[in-house]
Amino acid sequence: MSLKAGIVGLPNVGKSTLFNAITKKHILAANYPFATIEPNVGVVVVPDERLDFLNDLYKPKSLVPTSFEFTDIAGLVKGASHGEGLGNKFLSHIREVDAIVNVVRCFDNSEITHVEGKVDPIRDIEIINTELILADLETIDNRINKLGKKMDMAKEKKDILEANTLRKTKDLLENGFSLRNVELTQDELDVLKAFNLITIKPVIYVANVDEDTAIIGDNEYTKRVKEYAGNEGSGVIVMSCQIESELSCLSNEDKSNFLQEMGITNSGLDKLIYQTYSILGLRTFFTAGADEVRAWTFKKGMKAPRCAGIIHTDFERGFIKAEIMSYEDLVKYGTELKVKENGKMRLEGKDYEMQDGDICYFRFNV
């Protein structure tokens, strides 16, 4: 599955530094606005210790982890929804992502310019949220204007639903609500899906701190960000993007030693990757054998045939059964043979809802 998270924020908050760390690439990360002119895309591996076990057990010719894309998007400024700065490019690129990673500056440093003059993370968050709300409002207004009098004359059920949903959405946006923070029915969500609205996307806030705060865990800025995010049900990761960028150049062993010396228990990057994966409702199933051990991304609630289709459309089209064992059972019994001998290998049909950690062999006929 092709899934994307977009890294956004005001200029000079640490977006490109974070992107460098995530992708282990080194794009331009300069101390001036709009250092990132075009979106930069990097594929991120989702850390998964289960792959290590499967690799040791099967000793395959190839090992393929699951992954998704992070996109570093040009810095947003006040007025972007009206074309200020690189606003139009920003807004077009952010519509293409599945989740938003909003990097917020939570440290003081007189040598690094802040586009708004001083550090205030809540103001920065609200500048971005306002611009995204205005952009979505423009999209909804365009649709309403296009429909014109048809809105009031709607008689078909689907047309009435669209008209009512557009009116409700317009009212919410005009009152300053991001759509992810309001209750919408599934029918309303289905209507809005066609417009690819920005404020409906889930958000994770990255509170970018200095080295001292990364060790301590919080400062006054991060506490305010956590309170704000808690009120809207969004996630927060506190990290030093600069430390993470430095860590990305180290081997796994050196990275572990560095973290221990710093007194940091877990990499902020790993936390971000896991939370982004989780906030999108993503899970992992595996295929395993002598040729390849591979992790596959699926959305929670997907049934076996659709998961089979992630591998190949023929697998879904000709789906018969899925032979499945859980990762936990394989670890417990040690081999596939022993899993079968203990009755833990099972055949599942078209109605089976795939679970995280399932190890699958799909039977199909085309």
Side-chain angles (χ1 to χ4, degrees), residues 40-53:
N40 295 272
V41 179
V43 177
V44 177
V45 170
V46 179
D48 196 328
E49 292 179 353
R50 295 173 295 185
L51 277 175
D52 296 331
F53 174 83

Side-chain angles (χ1 to χ4, degrees), residues 9-17 27-37 72 74-77 86 105 111-115:
L10 295 179
N12 296 344
V13 297
K15 300 186 325 307
S16 296
T17 304
I27 58 168
L28 179 63
N31 179 28
Y32 55 89
F34 314 131
T36 309
I37 304 299
D72 180 35
L76 184 65
V77 294
L86 298 172
R105 180 170 164 180
E111 294 181 2
I112 299 179
T113 306
H114 193 292
V115 72

Side-chain angles (χ1 to χ4, degrees), residues 228-333:
Y228 186 96
N231 289 336
E232 68 172 27
S234 296
V236 179
I237 301 292
V238 177
M239 71 164 78
S240 165
C241 294
Q242 185 58 45
I243 289 177
E244 298 297 332
S245 184
E246 293 169 5
L247 283 172
S248 70
C249 302
L250 303 178
S251 66
N252 288 336
E253 183 179 352
D254 288 342
K255 176 180 172 181
S256 179
N257 291 336
F258 183 87
L259 288 172
Q260 286 181 359
E261 290 175 8
M262 295 284 291
I264 301 173
T265 53
N266 291 304
S267 161
L269 267 185
D270 286 350
K271 291 179 184 177
L272 174 61
I273 293 169
Y274 286 134
Q275 189 158 347
T276 307
Y277 199 73
S278 176
I279 204 170
L280 289 171
L282 304 181
R283 301 292 185 270
T284 302
F285 73 87
F286 302 95
T287 52
D291 287 334
E292 179 184 81
V293 167
R294 183 163 184 161
W296 302 87
T297 300
F298 70 100
K299 287 201 172 184
K300 183 181 178 182
M302 285 177 64
K303 294 187 176 179
R306 284 192 65 197
C307 287
I310 293 171
I311 300 174
H312 197 287
T313 53
D314 284 349
F315 285 24
E316 182 175 7
R317 187 160 55 92
F319 180 89
I320 300 173
K321 292 284 184 182
E323 189 175 1
I324 293 175
M325 60 181 164
S326 72
Y327 172 80
E328 290 76 13
D329 284 336
L330 183 57
V331 171
K332 179 179 178 179
Y333 295 109

Side-chain angles (χ1 to χ4, degrees), residues 39-221:
N40 295 272
V41 179
V43 177
V44 177
V45 170
V46 179
D48 196 328
E49 292 179 353
R50 295 173 295 185
L51 277 175
D52 296 331
F53 174 83
L54 295 174
N55 190 47
D56 290 340
L57 181 64
Y58 288 93
K59 295 179 172 51
K61 295 176 183 176
S62 68
L63 180 69
V64 185
T66 189
S67 63
F68 59 91
E69 292 180 0
F70 272 98
T71 303
D72 180 35
I73 300 172
L76 184 65
V77 294
K78 191 182 295 183
S81 59
H82 301 297
E84 293 294 325
L86 298 172
N88 292 331
K89 286 188 176 183
F90 172 96
L91 295 169
S92 65
H93 294 312
I94 199 173
R95 290 189 191 281
E96 300 170 5
V97 306
D98 301 291
I100 296 171
V101 176
N102 187 345
V103 182
V104 187
R105 180 170 164 180
C106 291
F107 65 91
D108 292 309
N109 187 330
S110 59
E111 294 181 2
I112 299 179
T113 306
H114 193 292
V115 72
E116 290 294 321
K118 67 176 183 177
V119 177
D120 183 342
I122 304 306
R123 177 208 57 210
D124 294 355
I125 288 171
E126 290 182 342
I127 286 174
I128 289 179
N129 284 345
T130 297
E131 293 305 321
L132 301 187
I133 287 169
L134 290 172
D136 278 354
L137 183 58
E138 182 180 4
T139 298
I140 295 299
D141 280 339
N142 287 342
R143 178 59 178 170
I144 289 173
N145 291 336
K146 184 175 181 179
L147 290 175
K149 293 181 179 179
K150 292 180 181 178
M151 291 266 292
D152 299 320
M153 300 170 61
K155 294 181 180 179
E156 296 291 332
K157 185 177 179 180
K158 66 179 182 63
D159 296 329
I160 294 171
L161 174 63
E162 181 181 10
N164 289 339
T165 300
L166 289 171
R167 291 189 187 101
K168 176 180 177 178
T169 304
K170 177 179 171 66
D171 183 63
L172 289 167
L173 292 169
E174 285 182 336
N175 282 281
F177 290 100
S178 292
L179 298 179
R180 65 178 178 276
N181 300 328
V182 299
E183 191 170 332
L184 297 166
T185 68
Q186 187 57 54
D187 286 341
E188 289 169 338
L189 290 171
D190 289 342
V191 170
L192 295 178
K193 189 176 182 180
F195 305 111
N196 206 13
L197 298 174
I198 303 169
T199 65
I200 212 164
K201 301 176 189 294
V203 169
I204 297 171
Y205 295 105
V206 168
N208 184 19
V209 298
D210 55 24
E211 182 177 309
D212 291 340
T213 305
I215 296 170
I216 297 169
D218 268 316
N219 60 25
E220 289 306 310
Y221 294 138

